[in-house]
Amino acid sequence: MVEFKTRISKIVDYPAPDGPSTRVFEIPIPSGIPFSYVSGQFAMLGHDSVRLLANQNMLKFASYSISSSPTHPHVLEFCIGDGSPTGVSHCLLHSKVGEEIIVKGPFGKFMLDENAPEYVFLATGTGIAPMISMIRTLLNKNVKVPITLYFGFRYPSQYMYREELEMLAQKFSNFKLEIVASRPDEKWKHHSGHLQDVLMNYNSPNKMKTKVYLCGKPSVTEELIKFCIDTLKFPTENVLVEKW
Ligand SMILES: Cc1cc2nc3c(=O)[nH]c(=O)nc-3n(C[C@H](O)[C@H](O)[C@H](O)COP(=O)(O)OP(=O)(O)OC[C@H]3O[C@@H](n4cnc5c(N)ncnc54)[C@H](O)[C@@H]3O)c2cc1C
């Protein structure tokens, strides 16, 4: 485990019409810091202004999946949703470029297996974080097996990484996007409804060996695990989940 301080270098916000935004932000890994990780792992982040309620001398840290890829070193990226006003997420969602962040990590056993014959990535909301890290790693390494991302959220404005994902789907014929908004507008060109409605159509000769990676809010994640195992009949051991 490595611990270091750095400063926010880039922020992209994804506003929701009826609630808090989600945010993608980048922090550089200072030179000389040996922070190496596997796609899927997470880091713990702290900010000087967020202290434990019970002990103001101690920083509160919170866990965040790393959304950048180790194939793009020197920088870490995260996607965050809002939390309670005294927590780290709320602070990070209102931080500005240049503010200092304390990073500890990497942690976690949710890791990309680079040798699967096919990949299905299932993400809802900020659950896209570990998935985009894995997709970036596979495509940057020119892995040729079929890769499908099923990504669900409520409003079109919450479509994180839109440009990058659509560029990757154009560039790599083995990468397919299935994007689902539950509250689309009239301009929306992707799927509408729930992730399960679209996932229902998944079929592949590799199905029994496909690695299914799943991440998102706990309530949705539980439903999706059940759907993958009971309805789609993916072998339980191939359904890999990051529970938040
Ligand atoms: C492996 C992993 C990866 C994750 N990845 C992501 C991710 O990529 N993006 C994302 O958005 N979320 C992610 N999460 C979820 C995130 O870690 C939680 O939402 C976490 O609660 C956020 O911390 P917070 O400080 O904002 O606390 P809050 O979510 O605000 O609150 C959580 C709890 O902490 C209490 N609390 C709040 N403030 C304080 C305080 N100052 N002192 C003491 N207690 C307090 C609250 O009362 C509540 O009980 C991940 C979780 C895990 C386990």
Side-chain angles (χ1 to χ4, degrees):
M1 195 269 287
V2 179
E3 180 169 344
F4 64 92
K5 289 182 179 175
T6 182
R7 289 182 187 277
I8 298 176
S9 52
K10 187 179 168 190
I11 292 172
V12 181
D13 284 324
Y14 294 86
D18 64 351
S21 303
T22 45
R23 164 173 283 191
V24 172
F25 70 92
E26 244 177 50
I27 48 177
I29 302 173
S31 63
I33 300 287
F35 189 96
S36 59
Y37 63 100
V38 176
S39 279
Q41 287 193 293
F42 68 96
M44 299 198 72
L45 304 183
H47 186 284
D48 191 50
S49 67
V50 187
R51 306 277 162 157
L52 286 177
L53 293 175
N55 181 353
Q56 290 294 305
N57 292 323
M58 288 183 75
L59 292 184
K60 181 179 192 303
F61 281 85
S63 308
Y64 299 96
S65 298
I66 303 168
S67 58
S68 47
S69 162
T71 56
H72 182 51
H74 315 305
V75 77
L76 291 176
E77 186 197 71
F78 299 90
C79 307
I80 50 157
D82 204 7
S84 67
T86 55
V88 179
S89 293
H90 187 76
C91 166
L92 293 176
L93 204 56
H94 295 88
S95 296
K96 296 191 169 50
V97 167
E99 285 188 35
E100 190 176 81
I101 304 288
I102 302 107
V103 184
K104 292 188 208 179
F107 301 104
K109 295 191 174 133
F110 184 67
M111 293 185 205
L112 176 65
D113 167 1
E114 294 186 20
N115 297 307
E118 180 165 343
Y119 296 90
V120 166
F121 293 106
L122 303 178
T124 54
T126 45
I128 188 68
M131 306 302 166
I132 191 145
S133 173
M134 293 185 188
I135 291 165
R136 284 165 163 168
T137 297
L138 292 170
L139 296 179
N140 284 345
K141 292 187 174 180
N142 228 350
V143 167
K144 295 290 186 207
V145 304
I147 302 168
T148 310
L149 169 67
Y150 293 84
F151 181 22
F153 40 80
R154 286 198 289 173
Y155 297 100
S157 61
Q158 295 174 304
Y159 183 0
M160 284 183 268
Y161 299 109
R162 182 180 206 144
E163 270 178 37
E164 179 178 347
L165 287 171
E166 295 187 358
M167 182 275 288
L168 290 173
Q170 281 210 332
K171 184 171 169 192
F172 295 94
S173 57
N174 59 323
F175 177 51
K176 198 169 163 219
L177 274 180
E178 300 284 8
I179 306 296
V180 193
S182 60
R183 298 191 195 171
D185 56 23
E186 62 288 349
K187 286 188 261 163
W188 184 243
K189 292 194 175 68
H190 298 275
H191 302 288
S192 306
H194 291 104
L195 219 50
Q196 286 92 325
D197 307 333
V198 181
L199 192 54
M200 192 70 207
N201 299 321
Y202 172 84
N203 207 356
S204 158
N206 297 319
K207 188 168 176 180
M208 299 316 283
K209 290 186 178 158
T210 294
K211 290 272 181 198
V212 181
Y213 288 89
L214 212 162
C215 185
K217 283 192 175 159
S219 53
V220 188
T221 305
E222 289 303 331
E223 280 174 32
L224 281 171
I225 297 171
K226 213 169 165 329
F227 188 78
C228 286
I229 294 170
D230 297 348
T231 308
L232 294 178
K233 309 285 183 205
F234 283 112
T236 310
E237 65 274 18
N238 289 347
V239 178
L240 306 153
V241 185
E242 182 68 303
K243 286 193 182 170
W244 286 3

